[in-house]
Amino acid sequence: MNIFFLGGKEGLNTKLLAIFVIFCHTVGERRYKNMATMNVSLPDPMKAWVESQVDGGQYGNASDYVRDLIRRDQKERDQIKTLQAAITKGIESGISDRSMQDILKEARSKAKATKDAL
């Protein structure tokens, strides 16, 4: 990768930014050694949205933005899967013979113990 710098003092920020971008690109390449290319078709409003996210400076390019969305989606789906497993376990455990007051008392006791342990 060849980068040429022009300018005096005002070019210093540009140089630092370029060094940072190269560093992030290099780290990203190491993190994802076997990256595949995927073409995605988007309607114009969605394309504009992606571009606005990149132009906002939070993402280096559209691929960074899409990777972030995928990571977030994976995390959300894992959380939903965990929650669904807890719901299924509760349903399969059957109806309790304890009163609601007993259940709440036990839950409050466990919550207090957890809080005290912190």
Side-chain angles (χ1 to χ4, degrees):
M1 181 182 306
N2 295 323
I3 297 182
F4 299 95
F5 297 104
L6 302 173
K9 287 193 295 186
E10 65 277 354
L12 179 61
N13 286 339
T14 304
K15 290 176 188 177
L16 292 174
L17 178 61
I19 291 168
F20 177 73
V21 167
I22 291 168
F23 171 76
C24 291
H25 179 73
T26 303
V27 169
E29 282 181 349
R30 279 190 231 133
R31 184 174 178 193
Y32 302 104
K33 288 183 181 180
N34 299 322
M35 292 182 66
T37 299
M38 178 182 276
N39 295 319
V40 178
S41 298
L42 298 172
D44 287 339
M46 286 184 154
K47 181 179 182 274
W49 174 257
V50 171
E51 290 170 346
S52 74
Q53 298 309 297
V54 173
D55 292 344
Q58 186 174 355
Y59 301 97
N61 55 46
S63 292
D64 287 344
Y65 179 63
V66 171
R67 282 191 292 271
D68 184 50
L69 290 176
I70 292 170
R71 280 190 294 271
R72 290 178 191 207
D73 185 53
Q74 288 171 328
K75 182 179 178 181
E76 181 181 333
R77 287 175 188 266
D78 287 345
Q79 291 171 336
I80 291 170
K81 186 177 178 180
T82 300
L83 181 59
Q84 186 60 52
I87 291 169
T88 300
K89 182 180 176 183
I91 291 170
E92 290 175 351
S93 70
I95 298 174
S96 176
D97 57 353
R98 298 184 302 166
S99 71
M100 190 64 182
Q101 288 179 338
D102 291 340
I103 294 170
L104 289 173
K105 184 178 178 180
E106 180 183 346
R108 288 182 181 122
S109 177
K110 284 182 181 179
K112 184 178 183 323
T114 301
K115 183 179 176 183
D116 292 344
L118 298 175

